[in-house]
């Protein structure tokens, strides 16, 4: 395929935007080459600036669960826009979407809307600290909770208890309050809790990890976290920015039948507009300003266009709950097809999948945490990525990302994708 115009647009962008992109993963650093510039998208397809059609497995990193330019969402946004785009005053639609979200998600009484998943997670942690009066948090290596300071922490060499910042600009003072554990490793968590008695405000986790490929929680892992939190006065935060309104109507809490104390949302909840949210029981949410002392605010929070898009999206998911099974069936079909082709070509691989999230790792070992995800053959992934792109299939430009299956994908699209894998497998 030809990407002449995309390349030219990227050169222009690089002059005025750092790295030519407004979010780093778009820049193809993980796979080489220059990014594809999108002209428009509809249903399961992207159309780029060179006129290529690509089957999209990223879907804006999750939000477009019903496909691009989904009509009820587009119509809701267009009709709202004509009535004014922001007021900085309350509007009825904010209550409507809040009521709907609270009715869909287990164990929450109130929800506060913000503008991104980053903001949701950052605010949830502040609320947990304010509620418990404790400072430290536990996060899991390889889990992503947005780019606020407390979360940009990686394990230092050795089993250091205190986090080390992995971006300049994050201070040691901030990093020392973020403790790291390995995903699916309950012993790690127990040790941290024992050595930081009465200091830990919350444990934040992606209930199904989606930012190091797709890594489901192992049996009882989430339940064990719940127990540890109960026994130690620690709040359990489910970061459902990726999994919320995707894995089930009520997200991972419903799927695994485990209650979190605070839940974070983003992506699907905004229907493709910039929206995040965090939610909890009254007891916790009432600590938030203006009811309580924990401050949190936003000029554009609850923006009418964003709320209209989110409401249209959630309404559709609420009325068609068979969607989640249908998505899981399509994902299983893709899994089976890709697995068969890779096996026939003797390519070592592991495929992880849950619901409509799936990832292909080029290593035969089980992928259960960041270290096992990092073992994948990255050179092979790069070839795979570019090969698939040439066949007209767009997967994330990084070996550490989940593919997102949308309801707009037909079985012909899935067969086309499996056929593309069989062609690309020959050159891996
Ligand atoms: C995408 C994501 C975020 C960050 O959301 P933004 O809207 O990009 O700020 C946080 N947590 C998880 C699990 C995510 O997947």
């Amino acid at each position: 395929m030809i990407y002449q115009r995309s390349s030219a647009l990227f050169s222009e962008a690089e002059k005025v935007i750092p790295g030519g992109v407004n979010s780093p993963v778009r820049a193809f650093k993980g796979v080489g080459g220059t990014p594809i510039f999108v002209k428009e998208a509809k249903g399961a397809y992207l159309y780029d600036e060179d006129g290529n059609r690509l089957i999209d497995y990223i879907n804006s990193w999750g939000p477009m669960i019903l496909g691009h330019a989904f009509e009820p969402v587009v119509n809701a946004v267009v009709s709202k826009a004509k009535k004014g785009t922001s007021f900085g005053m309350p509007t009825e639609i904010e209550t409507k979407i809040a009521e709907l979200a609270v009715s869909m998600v287990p164990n929450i009484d109130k929800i506060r809307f913000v503008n991104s998943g980053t903001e949701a997670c950052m605010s949830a942690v502040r609320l947990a600290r304010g509620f418990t009066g404790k400072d430290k948090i536990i996060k899991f290596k390889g889990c992503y909770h947005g780019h606020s300071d407390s979360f940009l922490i990686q394990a230092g060499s050795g089993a250091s208890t205190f986090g080390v910042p992995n971006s300049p600009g994050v201070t040691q003072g901030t990093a020392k309050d973020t403790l790291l554990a390995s995903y699916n490793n309950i012993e790690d968590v127990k040790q941290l809790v024992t050595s930081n008695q009465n200091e830990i405000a919350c444990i934040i986790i992606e209930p199904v990890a989606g930012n190091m490929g797709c890594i489901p929680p192992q049996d009882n892992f989430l339940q064990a976290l719940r127990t540890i939190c109960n026994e130690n006065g620690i709040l359990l935060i489910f970061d459902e920015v990726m999994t919320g309104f995707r894995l089930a109507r009520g997200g991972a809490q419903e799927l695994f039948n485990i209650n979190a104390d605070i839940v974070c949302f983003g992506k699907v909840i905004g229907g493709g507009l910039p929206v995040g949210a965090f939610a909890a029981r009254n007891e916790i949410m009432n600590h938030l300003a203006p009811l309580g002392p924990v401050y949190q605010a936003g000029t554009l929070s609850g923006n009418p266009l964003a709320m209209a898009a989110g409401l249209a999206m959630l309404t559709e998911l609420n009325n068609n709950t068979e969607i989640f099974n249908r998505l899981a069936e399509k994902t299983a079909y893709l899994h089976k097809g890709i697995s068969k082709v890779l096996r026939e070509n003797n390519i070592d691989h592991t495929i992880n999948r849950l619901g409509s999230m799936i990832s292909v790792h080029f290593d035969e070992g089980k992928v259960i945490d960041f270290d096992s995800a990092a073992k994948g053959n990255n050179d092979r992934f790069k070839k795979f990525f570019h090969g698939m792109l040439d066949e007209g299939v767009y997967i994330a430009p990084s070996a550490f990302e989940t593919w997102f299956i949308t309801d707009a994908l037909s079985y012909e699209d899935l067969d086309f994708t499996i056929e593309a894998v069989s062609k690309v497998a020959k050159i891996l």
Side-chain angles (χ1 to χ4, degrees):
M1 280 196 193
I2 291 170
Y3 303 110
Q4 228 169 351
R5 193 166 151 74
S6 274
S7 300
L9 288 171
F10 185 58
S11 302
E12 289 303 306
E14 280 183 298
K15 292 177 194 157
V16 284
I17 301 172
V21 291
N22 281 311
S23 194
V25 72
R26 297 177 197 169
F28 278 29
K29 289 274 187 214
V31 290
T34 56
I36 309 297
F37 276 60
V38 180
K39 189 164 189 189
E40 57 188 289
K42 178 75 191 161
Y45 310 122
L46 296 168
Y47 300 90
D48 74 9
E49 290 283 358
D50 287 281
N52 302 306
R53 189 199 82 170
L54 302 167
I55 298 183
D56 186 10
Y57 284 97
I58 296 309
N59 291 287
S60 184
W61 304 90
M64 322 314 294
I65 190 168
L66 303 175
H68 289 284
F70 183 68
E71 233 163 85
V73 172
V74 172
N75 292 342
V77 173
V78 169
S79 69
K80 262 289 173 221
K82 291 179 178 161
K83 296 175 179 164
T85 56
S86 180
F87 315 112
M89 293 166 74
T91 52
E92 184 181 5
I93 195 169
E94 293 164 77
T95 310
K96 287 248 156 64
I97 186 174
E99 282 170 351
L100 181 56
V102 166
S103 77
M104 290 172 79
V105 177
N107 194 40
I108 62 170
D109 298 316
K110 290 197 176 96
I111 183 165
R112 167 78 44 100
F113 284 90
V114 294
N115 307 290
S116 68
T118 295
E119 257 189 86
C121 295
M122 178 186 83
S123 309
V125 164
R126 184 183 304 141
L127 180 58
R129 286 172 165 155
F131 182 78
T132 60
K134 296 186 276 187
D135 288 346
K136 291 184 181 170
I137 68 174
I138 294 180
K139 84 172 274 286
F140 295 88
K141 204 173 159 188
C143 279
Y144 182 66
H145 306 294
H147 63 92
S148 85
D149 287 1
S150 307
F151 299 128
L152 291 181
I153 314 293
Q154 206 175 27
S157 54
S160 92
T161 313
F162 295 121
V164 176
N166 72 347
S167 167
V170 176
T171 65
Q172 276 301 337
T174 297
K176 75 172 175 36
D177 286 331
T178 300
L179 311 174
L180 283 161
S182 287
Y183 201 79
N184 277 322
N185 188 333
I186 203 69
E187 288 311 315
D188 257 17
V189 177
K190 282 184 183 161
Q191 226 162 39
L192 289 173
V193 169
T194 306
S195 51
N196 294 273
Q197 278 297 327
N198 299 319
E199 293 186 274
I200 299 171
C202 62
I203 297 177
I204 184 166
I205 186 164
E206 292 178 63
V208 176
N211 286 287
M212 44 182 165
C214 168
I215 303 186
Q218 291 184 322
D219 287 350
N220 282 328
F221 178 61
L222 296 176
Q223 186 56 58
L225 287 181
R226 181 68 271 175
T227 305
I228 290 174
C229 286
N230 290 349
E231 288 170 355
N232 293 277
I234 296 171
L235 297 187
L236 181 60
I237 303 180
F238 274 7
D239 176 355
E240 295 223 47
V241 170
M242 198 178 271
T243 54
F245 306 103
R246 168 170 290 280
L247 292 183
R249 187 172 166 275
Q253 286 193 104
E254 176 186 318
L255 191 67
F256 299 113
N257 193 24
I258 292 177
N259 286 345
D261 296 303
I262 307 179
V263 190
C264 304
F265 297 105
K267 301 193 169 120
V268 174
I269 201 173
L273 269 76
V275 181
F278 59 106
R281 302 183 301 276
N282 279 327
E283 168 198 20
I284 297 172
M285 286 311 264
N286 291 350
H287 270 252
L288 208 57
L291 278 183
V294 176
Y295 197 70
Q296 189 280 324
T299 301
L300 291 173
S301 292
N303 172 269
L305 301 193
M307 296 297 96
L311 181 59
M313 177 66 98
L314 296 195
T315 301
E316 194 70 23
L317 296 174
N318 190 40
N319 293 342
N320 296 298
T321 43
E322 79 281 7
I323 261 175
F324 301 104
N325 285 333
R326 196 155 70 217
L327 285 169
E329 277 163 22
K330 287 180 184 176
T331 314
Y333 182 86
L334 190 67
H335 181 166
K336 208 168 140 210
I338 294 178
S339 216
K340 180 163 176 280
V341 167
L342 292 178
R343 264 199 320 272
E344 284 165 1
N345 287 276
N346 296 316
I347 292 169
D348 288 345
H349 67 280
T350 298
I351 297 180
N352 280 3
R353 163 173 64 91
L354 193 76
S356 53
M357 296 164 65
I358 180 170
S359 57
V360 179
H361 303 261
F362 291 111
D363 184 76
E364 59 188 346
K366 275 191 178 168
V367 177
I368 57 159
D369 58 15
F370 183 77
D371 291 341
S372 46
K375 280 191 190 135
N377 181 335
N378 208 35
D379 287 334
R380 188 164 260 178
F381 180 82
K382 287 180 196 174
K383 280 190 215 155
F384 181 65
F385 171 82
H386 286 290
M388 292 299 282
L389 192 55
D390 276 340
E391 296 299 328
V393 178
Y394 190 73
I395 61 172
S398 159
F400 290 98
E401 303 290 351
T402 299
W403 311 13
F404 299 103
I405 306 307
T406 95
D407 204 41
L409 282 163
S410 66
Y411 278 86
E412 286 87 78
D413 295 325
L414 299 175
D415 285 335
F416 182 95
T417 304
I418 294 163
E419 182 58 30
V421 174
S422 77
K423 288 182 194 158
V424 173
K426 309 268 184 296
I427 54 146
L428 289 181

